[in-house]
Amino acid sequence: MPAKLKRLNTKFFQRDVLEVAPQLIGKTLVRQFAHGQHVRFMITETEAYRGEEDLACHAAKGRTSRTEVMYHRGGKIYVYLIYGQYWLLNFVTGEADFPAAVLIRSLENITGPGRVGRALQLNRTFYGEDLTLSDRIWVEDDGYLPEIETSARIGVDYAGDWASLPWRFSLRK
DNA sequence: GTAAGGATTGGC
DNA sequence: CCAATCCTTACT
């Protein structure tokens, strides 16, 4: 089967982030580099960020130049630099004008969102990249049926009650 | 213009 | 435990 048929499409991403985030576990992230080489990693940990009322979500501060892409319809990439050194990878989900995204926290053998960005060699040019069209990064369904477990999101203690929601999803070991 | 802080990591 | 490192946001 051509790889193209396995690529996750707009229909997959244009749903509620709380459906998309757990369903990304076990999917395959593909990164193709300029020199033609590509790498494939199974996604093993994600987190959902959902709407302006979610105080852990960057869109809690409203629609700004930084959060703009989160207000687009699902299927695009939202990347941002954290602590001046790590590019964190997110997939925008849902309908237009409702800000939501999935943070890719870990891949197989690459634990931690900062390490994910480093391994994939991300930078600001990935902001707004369309996962359904890009020739350098996309996601495929290779048919794994993983067991998933939930837990609280990491590093968002400032978000009050929103910090304790079970919006972190990971592959059951 | 200036200041504060961050969806992290690695080293001491 | 804490520095690194720079972008975004909020405020004087």
Side-chain angles (χ1 to χ4, degrees), chain A residues 127-140:
Chain A
Y127 185 94
E129 185 99 349
D130 192 328
L131 282 166
T132 69
L133 299 174
S134 176
D135 61 359
R136 54 181 182 164
I137 186 168
W138 64 91
V139 186
E140 293 180 6

Side-chain angles (χ1 to χ4, degrees), chain A residues 141-155:
Chain A
D141 183 354
D142 284 337
Y144 295 120
L145 294 172
E147 278 193 85
I148 296 165
E149 56 189 32
T150 63
S151 51
R153 293 177 293 181
I154 303 294

Side-chain angles (χ1 to χ4, degrees), chain A residues 56-123:
Chain A
C57 181
H58 289 167
K61 303 203 170 183
R63 194 165 185 157
T64 66
S65 56
R66 183 205 211 190
T67 62
E68 174 62 27
V69 76
M70 295 182 79
Y71 289 78
H72 294 203
R73 80 202 238 272
K76 291 183 179 177
I77 283 178
Y78 166 47
V79 287
Y80 66 94
L81 185 66
I82 188 70
Y83 300 115
Q85 27 190 87
Y86 304 105
W87 288 95
L88 300 207
L89 175 63
N90 299 256
F91 300 158
V92 176
T93 66
E95 304 293 328
D97 297 324
F98 184 86
V102 179
L103 169 65
I104 306 303
R105 285 196 64 89
S106 295
L107 306 173
E108 201 169 24
N109 300 319
I110 303 176
T111 58
R115 291 171 177 165
V116 168
R118 192 172 57 190
L120 299 177
Q121 297 177 35
L122 301 183
N123 56 56

Side-chain angles (χ1 to χ4, degrees), chain A residues 6 8 20 23 37 42 88 125 137 145 160 167-168 173:
Chain A
K6 300 193 296 183
L8 298 185
V20 177
Q23 289 181 25
Q37 299 295 316
M42 182 167 69
L88 300 207
T125 71
I137 186 168
L145 294 172
W167 286 5
R168 175 180 175 225
K173 298 185 184 76

Side-chain angles (χ1 to χ4, degrees), chain A residues 1 20 26 33 36 43 47 51 65 87-88 102 105 112 114 161 169-170:
Chain A
M1 179 189 285
V20 177
F33 297 99
I43 297 171
E47 279 176 0
S65 56
W87 288 95
L88 300 207
V102 179
R105 285 196 64 89
D161 292 342
F169 307 93
S170 51

